[in-house]
Structure formats: structure tokens, C-alpha cells
Amino acid sequence: MTYLIIGTLIIGVIAYLYTNSKKTNNNPEVENNLTEKAQPRTEFENPLNDSLTYSEKLNKTKELYPFAKWRENFFEYQMEQYTEENCNEAKGIFDNLIFKLITLGENGNKNEKEQYFEIAIKSLNKLNGKDEGIIETGEREDLCELIDQITLASGLKPKDYADGEGIADLWREW
């Protein structure tokens, strides 16, 4: 009887560890995502992209939106903060930023471009305050990378802001 109880406990622990291993960095999918994130994207710094128009560069940054991945986490890992409403609100903040930058134009006033970034980043602060935990470490990295790419596409340089940390660091609270 003792062996049966011990065996059941061991099987339970193994099942628990296996189930939770998907949520850790031992997961090859997570490791691949981390590896991809660690490699900075420089596609907008590449002179070959000079063939893209200003609006095409900005619209191309939408390919970097992390919100579908966040929604997958809602279902796969029961991360309840990534509701459709929260993800759509975050997406809307960036859609609005890109729209305003395109409307302003490539030769638009630098201060106005910076104001649009400020509005977007402060809107993300409000979203994070509304539902604490939306922007954690991984999401912060996603958003900072996205903001840096939008900064480059808009003709600004991330290294010119917050001692080289990027324009998001001027106002972000996450």
C-alpha cells in the first residue's frame, strides 16, 4: 500500500512538472521566441529599404505587432489579462500612432512626431494600469522593439532618446 501511494505521488509530480514545463524557458518554442527577440531587427536601417515609401515603412511595422501572440497566451497559458478587448485596445493605440505619423508626413515636424509617441506610450501606461500585468517583461520587450521600429520608420532615431534606450523610455511606466 505504501508503494502505491509513493508511486502515485511520483507520477503526480512528474505530470505536474511536465505540464508546467511548457510555461518555462525549457519550452523550445519559448526559447526560439527569446532567440528571435535577442536579435535586433534592423530592416529599416537597411539601405535596401530605401525603395519603400514613408507610409509603406510605417505600415510594414504592423507586421511586428505582438497582439496575436498575446491572445495565444490567453488560451494556451490561461493568461487572463490578454483578453480580446485588451489586445484590441493595445493594437488600436499603435494603429492610431501610425495613422497620425503617416498623416503628418515624412517631412513633418519632429516635435509633433514625438508628441504622437508620447500620447501612444502614455495610453499604454493607462492600459497597463487598468489591468495590471498586461505589460510584463516579455511584453515590454515586444513593445519597445515595436516602438523602436516605428521610430526608425518615422525618420527618428531611437538612440537619440533616453540616453540611447529609445523614445519609449521617456514616458513608459512598464
Side-chain angles (χ1 to χ4, degrees), residues 28-134:
E29 291 177 19
V30 173
E31 287 181 21
N32 288 340
N33 287 341
L34 291 174
T35 302
E36 289 172 12
K37 286 182 190 175
Q39 299 170 355
R41 298 171 199 225
T42 57
E43 60 186 82
F44 293 111
E45 295 176 306
N46 186 337
L48 297 175
N49 282 332
D50 285 342
S51 62
L52 296 177
T53 67
Y54 176 73
S55 63
E56 288 172 338
K57 287 179 185 178
L58 284 166
N59 280 318
K60 189 168 178 56
T61 64
K62 292 181 182 183
E63 294 174 9
L64 304 174
Y65 279 8
F67 314 115
K69 179 179 69 179
W70 292 6
R71 284 293 291 150
E72 289 172 16
N73 289 340
F74 174 83
F75 295 108
E76 189 170 346
Y77 302 115
Q78 294 82 40
M79 298 178 83
E80 297 176 8
Q81 66 269 35
Y82 303 119
T83 62
E84 186 172 357
E85 177 186 350
N86 285 341
C87 290
N88 285 341
E89 188 172 340
K91 180 183 177 296
I93 290 168
F94 283 96
D95 286 345
N96 189 44
L97 170 62
I98 290 169
F99 173 78
K100 286 181 176 183
L101 290 168
I102 289 171
T103 302
L104 183 60
E106 185 171 11
N107 298 317
N109 182 291
K110 178 182 175 186
N111 290 332
E112 283 185 71
K113 289 180 182 182
E114 292 168 344
Q115 287 174 349
Y116 294 150
F117 279 98
E118 180 180 6
I119 291 167
I121 293 160
K122 286 183 175 180
S123 296
L124 289 169
N125 290 343
K126 286 180 188 175
L127 176 61
N128 193 49
K130 177 181 100 174
D131 197 342
E132 192 87 18
I134 290 177

